Amino acid sequence: MLITRIPGDPSKPIPTPVIAMAGGVEKRDSDSYWIPRNELIAIFLEEIEERNKRNVTDQGRIHIVMGSDVTQVRIIDSQQNANNIDVNNENRHSLVEVTSNVFDGEKENTYEAKIVIGADGFNSNVRSRLSQIDGGKFGVKRYKSPAAGLRYKVLQMPYGMNVPNITGTVPLTMRGDSLYSFLSVNKGAKNEIRMGCLPLKDPKSPRSTNIITKPNHAIWDITDGEEMRKWFQKSFPRMSFQHESEGGIISSAEWSRFASAKGGAFPSPGVSLNMQLSSNDETCGVALVGDAVHVFPPDLGQGVNSALQDVLVLNQTIIRNGSSQDKSTKLTLGLALKQYERDRLPEAKALVKLNSHVGPYQYKQTGLVDTTKAKLKVLNILFK
Ligand SMILES: Cc1cc2nc3c(=O)[nH]c(=O)nc-3n(C[C@H](O)[C@H](O)[C@H](O)COP(=O)(O)OP(=O)(O)OC[C@H]3O[C@@H](n4cnc5c(N)ncnc54)[C@H](O)[C@@H]3O)c2cc1C
């Protein structure tokens, strides 16, 4: 993958693209693209609609509930499940009970299920509830990473924008499917900044520009749009960041949105000690997937792939087991969930450890301590 590093100083020429380095590993392919989160979710929703239309009767329909927050998850064992006693008092069964609130907190719904999948991200409420049911089994083992705690937010730039080059040369026309890094003219731990544009498949996509800094950086003190615009214009004199009435490429509305956005912070790498819990009679249970199990800063871009692998293995384990005709080898649901955990937890642990070491300085953290550590890290890799 090639990167064009654009100096903020307009008197310096825009250099030709070079091979991007990620975690000390050269990436030579030029056809890697990022998918914006909203587009990935749209793909999932489209597939759900298609699937519901296909009406696969033995697999049921997927019903989506929006604007609702899961607040409670309980495993109710058959012994306690007084509601499910049939007339002969023999057919008690266990169930997982999920309670959710509509966001205004007015209405509460309760659902009963045989299996609940907690795919609710790194602050997983489902995991917290399992932890309440089973003591320390769902604690999270944390690792240190120099990328943890970095704050980020996104500025939208138009696609196909022209970036002026030195006098007498043609401007650079930005492509949606190329990688760019804009370097500020200001230096110093709290003022130096970079704007990063990742390649997207659609060359006409608006350019989402990632701003990633340490939490004490100057931009986090600016909440007014006009003040933010002026700060960026001073930092990137090459760019047309003047007021929109003077031909600036970014609208006042976008500067205001960007200035007031709280952004997010990279989590520290962490892995849940367990991935599933079932009822004592092993007829129902809860499984965790994705960031609810393993979380790390996006250094290696493995969050979505590893979440999808969890889903794939969980699906295969349950389907394979459910369709098995051989009663002697057929597992209970509880044992199938344990099998899923045995298959996935070692990889989740390894991935989290890997993410605490490989590439945490790619965000060009400012300050003497971090720049020195970043150089030592490169030396360490070279000597290995
Ligand atoms: C800045 C940034 C950049 C990243 N870049 C990459 C990248 O380039 N490549 C990559 O592979 N990964 C990347 N990741 C990581 C990736 O986003 C995650 O690994 C991935 O989204 C995990 O998917 P998930 O479904 O497990 O969790 P999430 O995507 O976090 O989804 C959890 C969902 O659960 C919902 N939810 C939470 N609590 C509740 C509740 N109580 N009730 C109901 N719903 C709830 C949330 O609203 C959310 O929709 C990045 C992450 C960050 C922060």
Side-chain angles (χ1 to χ4, degrees):
M1 189 191 305
L2 297 176
I3 182 169
T4 308
R5 294 203 175 90
I6 302 171
D9 181 351
S11 67
K12 292 187 178 159
I14 298 176
T16 48
V18 293
I19 293 168
M21 300 281 282
V25 180
E26 284 189 0
K27 291 190 165 185
R28 291 190 181 277
D29 56 314
S30 55
D31 53 359
S32 305
Y33 301 103
W34 269 255
I35 301 177
R37 185 180 172 95
N38 60 324
E39 286 181 20
L40 186 64
I41 289 174
I43 292 170
F44 290 150
L45 287 175
E46 209 175 290
E47 173 55 25
I48 289 172
E49 267 176 36
E50 287 294 316
R51 187 181 178 285
N52 282 346
K53 270 192 217 146
R54 286 199 299 270
N55 222 354
V56 191
T57 43
D58 62 332
Q59 289 178 21
R61 287 173 65 80
I62 296 176
H63 175 60
I64 300 174
V65 180
M66 297 280 196
S68 190
D69 204 1
V70 169
T71 51
Q72 182 60 273
V73 177
R74 294 194 307 148
I75 295 182
I76 304 180
D77 257 296
S78 52
Q79 297 307 313
Q80 308 159 269
N81 190 6
N83 292 336
N84 291 322
I85 303 172
D86 78 353
V87 280
N88 300 320
N89 203 9
E90 279 172 354
N91 239 355
R92 295 171 189 227
H93 57 271
S94 302
L95 57 88
V96 188
E97 187 189 80
V98 176
T99 310
S100 73
N101 267 344
V102 178
F103 280 146
D104 60 14
E106 294 271 300
K107 196 168 164 235
E108 200 174 75
N109 290 313
T110 304
Y111 304 89
E112 292 179 356
K114 216 170 148 185
I115 176 162
V116 167
I117 298 168
D120 52 345
F122 74 95
N123 284 323
S124 172
N125 200 5
V126 176
R127 191 187 59 230
S128 307
R129 299 296 154 185
L130 294 184
S131 170
Q132 284 173 352
I133 299 172
D134 201 335
K137 263 184 90 178
F138 290 88
V140 175
K141 183 169 168 48
R142 293 274 170 206
Y143 292 83
K144 285 188 178 160
S145 161
L150 291 177
R151 292 183 69 183
Y152 63 88
K153 57 179 167 177
V154 174
L155 178 68
Q156 295 290 352
M157 292 211 267
Y159 83 87
M161 187 176 76
N162 280 337
V163 182
N165 209 338
I166 48 170
T167 323
T169 52
V170 285
L172 170 90
T173 303
M174 279 179 73
R175 291 178 53 88
D177 52 2
S178 300
L179 176 60
Y180 302 97
S181 176
F182 295 85
L183 319 177
S184 70
V185 289
N186 17 341
K187 301 288 169 220
K190 291 187 181 176
N191 284 295
E192 187 174 341
I193 201 161
R194 284 166 192 248
M195 299 190 293
C197 291
L198 296 169
L200 305 170
K201 182 74 181 163
D202 179 0
K204 293 195 170 172
S205 294
R207 297 317 315 256
S208 297
T209 312
N210 298 321
I211 313 288
I212 302 169
T213 74
K214 284 181 160 179
N216 61 354
H217 193 278
I219 65 151
W220 299 103
D221 296 330
I222 307 174
T223 50
D224 174 69
E226 182 56 11
E227 200 188 328
M228 187 66 96
R229 182 192 69 71
K230 285 182 180 158
W231 193 91
F232 269 76
Q233 181 68 92
K234 212 168 141 204
S235 309
F236 299 94
R238 179 190 295 276
M239 305 298 289
S240 303
F241 285 161
Q242 60 271 45
H243 196 272
E244 62 180 334
S245 61
E246 294 159 8
I249 53 168
I250 296 179
S251 68
S252 301
E254 174 57 12
W255 283 117
S256 294
R257 185 207 59 78
F258 176 71
S260 59
K262 290 201 166 49
F266 290 167
S268 54
V271 60
S272 172
L273 301 180
N274 287 279
M275 294 175 81
Q276 57 75 38
L277 191 66
S278 53
S279 57
N280 289 331
D281 62 5
E282 296 186 333
T283 58
C284 72
V286 182
L288 300 175
V289 297
D291 278 17
V293 181
H294 38 73
V295 65
F296 26 78
D299 310 355
L300 296 178
Q302 284 303 310
V304 174
N305 279 344
S306 53
L308 291 177
Q309 275 177 325
D310 291 341
V311 174
L312 199 69
V313 173
L314 180 61
N315 186 45
Q316 279 167 351
T317 312
I318 292 174
I319 299 262
R320 195 178 48 219
N321 186 54
S323 59
S324 166
Q325 300 300 321
D326 182 353
K327 287 203 170 142
S328 63
T329 55
K330 193 163 175 142
L331 304 175
T332 59
L333 179 64
L335 285 176
L337 291 178
K338 286 188 180 76
Q339 178 67 50
Y340 158 68
E341 183 176 69
R342 266 198 302 279
D343 285 347
R344 288 301 296 155
L345 197 53
E347 189 166 315
K349 287 179 179 169
L351 197 57
V352 168
K353 270 194 199 167
L354 195 67
N355 266 277
S356 60
H357 295 298
V358 185
Y361 288 110
Q362 63 188 273
Y363 311 101
K364 308 290 178 209
Q365 289 92 321
T366 51
L368 187 62
V369 175
D370 277 314
T371 45
T372 310
K373 281 186 177 172
K375 283 179 189 148
L376 290 173
K377 184 122 195 134
V378 173
L379 283 177
N380 186 11
I381 291 167
L382 289 176
F383 282 115
K384 268 186 181 167

